[in-house]
Amino acid sequence: MSRPEIEIRDLHKSFGDNHVLRGIDLEIAQGEVVCVIGPSGSGKSTLLRCVNLLEEPTKGQVVVGGTELTDPDVDIDAVRRRIGMVFQQFNLFPHLTVTENLTLPQRRVLRRDRAQAAKVAAENLERVGLTEKASAYPSSLSGGQQQRVAIARALAMGPEVMLFDEPTSALDPELVGDVLAVMRMLAQDGMTMMVVTHEMTFAREVADRVIFMDGGVIVEDGSPEQVITNPQHERTRHFLSRLL
Ligand code: ADP
Ligand code: MG
């Protein structure tokens, strides 16, 4: 078997005396799509944030693409370029057009020239179906369109891994489908993805694996069929029953 794209070993994270992650072990293969589910406060966002070092682990190892992020000598910026992240709130730059939102990080972080950044921006706007919004400002877009711009912005950096933290939770229900369709396309294109979501239909249809977290540990880890349809643990069953 080839090397996993993401390896997490005995990961712990505390905020003061709040011990949030209590020993997470997880391997994610290249091209695998893993949905992370679990109650509010169980540590899902903290786990994702430890995978791109938005949070510094208290203990344990995180390895992405063979680079140990938790090595004190690691070039964090170089690693972060390989990991795209999409948040519940889209975090677009409001004073920049859609194209400028996509070109600015490429130019600043990757040092691409104007023409190359614009070309990559156009390619990725096309991927998310928003070519016609290239010159628009974020405030003129729907929430679903803004989130697709945020995804295109992350993709324009050429990441090896994409992390999604409840990307559809802030959207009106009728806008959720377009964002999920873009994520489904990415999954089919072979992107390695970790997706925190409450969208069980998406998890069932798109995820290779589903992880149920509770109290800072992984309670259940298996295929969607195993975890969603036939959960083995009472805590998983209880959580799922409340979603329905
Ligand atoms: P989830 O995403 O599953 O809802 P989180 O990872 O956001 O859970 O939060 C888990 C716990 O960590 C909560 O108790 C939360 O208050 C705490 N927490 C998360 N981020 C911080 C932070 N930056 N500072 C202090 N406590 C935090
Ligand atoms: Mg969260």
Side-chain angles (χ1 to χ4, degrees):
M1 199 184 109
S2 63
R3 182 191 71 198
E5 181 64 32
I6 301 174
E7 291 177 75
I8 299 170
R9 301 211 185 291
D10 194 31
L11 175 64
H12 290 255
K13 176 66 183 178
S14 298
F15 296 102
D17 48 19
N18 186 6
H19 193 176
V20 172
L21 297 181
R22 296 168 171 260
I24 301 281
D25 288 284
L26 184 59
E27 289 191 359
I28 298 178
Q30 209 171 15
E32 201 170 19
V33 177
V34 175
C35 282
V36 182
I37 63 174
S40 177
S42 57
K44 306 180 299 295
S45 294
T46 302
L47 172 61
L48 238 55
R49 294 167 65 84
C50 283
V51 175
N52 70 352
L53 293 192
L54 286 175
E55 299 291 355
E56 194 186 338
T58 308
K59 177 175 170 233
Q61 273 189 319
V62 179
V63 182
V64 176
T67 305
E68 187 184 335
L69 276 57
T70 33
D71 179 337
D73 295 329
V74 79
D75 178 350
I76 291 178
D77 291 328
V79 173
R80 281 212 189 109
R81 271 170 229 159
R82 292 157 45 188
I83 305 169
M85 181 135 178
V86 173
F87 301 88
Q88 183 173 333
Q89 301 301 335
F90 330 121
N91 301 330
L92 298 176
F93 305 115
H95 58 295
L96 298 180
T97 66
V98 164
T99 292
E100 288 163 352
N101 265 277
L102 268 68
T103 54
L104 182 78
Q106 295 183 62
R107 300 195 64 201
R108 289 249 173 102
V109 179
L110 303 179
R111 303 270 159 224
R112 286 183 183 150
D113 67 30
R114 190 180 295 275
Q116 197 197 354
K119 178 171 173 283
V120 173
E123 287 165 3
N124 283 290
L125 281 181
E126 188 178 353
R127 270 177 110 182
V128 303
L130 287 175
T131 300
E132 78 280 11
K133 297 293 184 188
S135 305
Y137 283 88
S139 58
S140 71
L141 305 180
S142 73
Q145 290 170 331
Q146 290 187 52
Q147 190 60 298
R148 283 148 65 199
V149 172
I151 294 171
R153 180 175 61 176
L155 292 175
M157 305 298 279
E160 295 166 21
V161 169
M162 286 284 285
L163 309 177
F164 294 87
D165 194 355
E166 301 199 31
T168 60
S169 294
L171 300 177
D172 292 334
E174 72 272 20
L175 303 176
V176 167
D178 287 346
V179 172
L180 293 179
V182 167
M183 293 167 62
R184 196 182 284 262
M185 167 202 78
L186 271 184
Q188 279 159 1
D189 285 353
M191 179 63 78
T192 308
M193 295 164 58
M194 278 181 83
V195 183
V196 176
T197 187
H198 300 295
E199 296 288 340
M200 289 304 127
T201 306
F202 178 85
R204 212 188 286 271
E205 292 177 6
V206 181
D208 298 300
R209 261 160 77 200
V210 175
I211 285 167
F212 173 68
M213 279 180 74
D214 195 14
V217 298
I218 293 175
V219 174
E220 208 147 347
D221 176 350
S223 68
E225 172 71 16
Q226 287 169 326
V227 176
I228 300 175
T229 315
N230 296 301
Q232 296 304 303
H233 293 261
E234 178 51 35
R235 282 195 279 177
T236 318
R237 283 195 285 268
H238 179 70
F239 171 77
L240 290 167
S241 72
R242 296 198 329 185
L243 283 187
L244 300 174

